[in-house]
Amino acid sequence: MSAPHDTARRDTAADATLATTTRITVKSAEDMRGLGRRLAGFLRPGDLVLLTGELGAGKTTLTRGLGEGLGVRGAVTSPTFVIARVHPPLGGGPALVHVDAYRLHGGLDEMEDLDLDVSLPESVIVVEWGDGKVEELSDDRLHVVIERAVGADAPGLDALDGAEEVDDERGVTVTGVGARWAGVDLTPLG
């Protein structure tokens, strides 16, 4: 995996919090899972992670790696039809709550039915398609944006829920927002 980094800190005018950003180039599905495993090393109970990217971008593949890195029970698969899956820890770490908000259109009101705020303090919550829907759960969150390389039209890293993972370059931007992430060096992710 090649990893050009452009780490920057900026003052976000909307919430006046410090954000830390890094950009990583991912060349394959295995590299995406590896990024998830490395990202897991940064996470602790109470962390909220928002995943953004088009269908097949690699959101579930990244979450599989997070599950491996956190050491949770159960196969991490797309929760599209069940909305949320809880993966309890195998050891002393946090549980992984994996949410797919794609079909939810009611914003935080609809998300409240899932009781994510109850799970947040002792779990790592990962929300696919969560932008604009769950930011109110926490002032501190990690935004992960996955973009396909220009011209990439092959099936994505999540094609057939991992059954047919295609090597296909992705640009991944990881931004930590809020006091929890202020000063955290994300460059080791690459």
Side-chain angles (χ1 to χ4, degrees), residues 2-190:
S2 91
H5 300 284
D6 70 41
T7 300
R9 292 181 187 202
R10 65 185 193 279
D11 192 8
T12 307
D15 58 15
T17 58
L18 196 60
T20 304
T21 299
T22 194
R23 182 157 171 82
I24 304 115
T25 299
V26 176
K27 302 254 184 204
S28 68
E30 183 50 44
D31 286 348
M32 187 66 81
R33 284 177 54 187
L35 174 59
R37 287 188 295 271
R38 288 189 305 283
L39 183 57
F42 284 82
L43 300 175
R44 62 184 186 211
D47 283 342
L48 174 64
V49 181
L50 305 181
L51 301 181
T52 302
E54 62 190 51
L55 287 170
K59 297 178 296 295
T60 300
T61 302
L62 178 80
T63 306
R64 254 186 221 109
L66 281 171
E68 293 167 6
L70 291 171
V72 299
R73 185 174 41 222
V76 175
T77 59
S78 177
T80 299
F81 297 105
V82 295
I83 309 298
R85 291 185 199 277
V86 177
H87 298 275
L90 291 171
L96 172 66
V97 179
H98 184 197
V99 179
D100 187 327
Y102 183 75
R103 294 184 303 134
L104 302 178
H105 303 289
L108 193 59
D109 291 339
E110 195 169 5
M111 295 299 286
E112 282 180 356
D113 292 340
L114 299 176
D115 287 332
L116 294 179
D117 54 337
V118 173
S119 300
L120 188 58
E122 69 273 354
S123 304
V124 169
I125 296 181
V126 177
V127 183
E128 296 186 26
W129 307 98
D131 280 350
K133 298 177 182 175
V134 298
E135 288 89 344
E136 293 176 32
L137 284 174
S138 177
D139 291 335
D140 303 311
R141 58 195 171 274
L142 203 59
H143 288 262
V144 179
V145 178
I146 305 170
E147 299 172 316
R148 285 190 178 168
V150 175
D153 57 5
L157 298 179
D158 290 334
L160 301 177
D161 200 18
E164 186 182 314
E165 294 178 349
V166 175
D167 288 348
D168 188 331
E169 188 171 296
R170 304 288 196 261
V172 180
T173 304
V174 180
T175 303
V177 176
R180 154 77 172 97
W181 297 101
V184 174
D185 180 13
L186 297 171
T187 57
L189 288 172

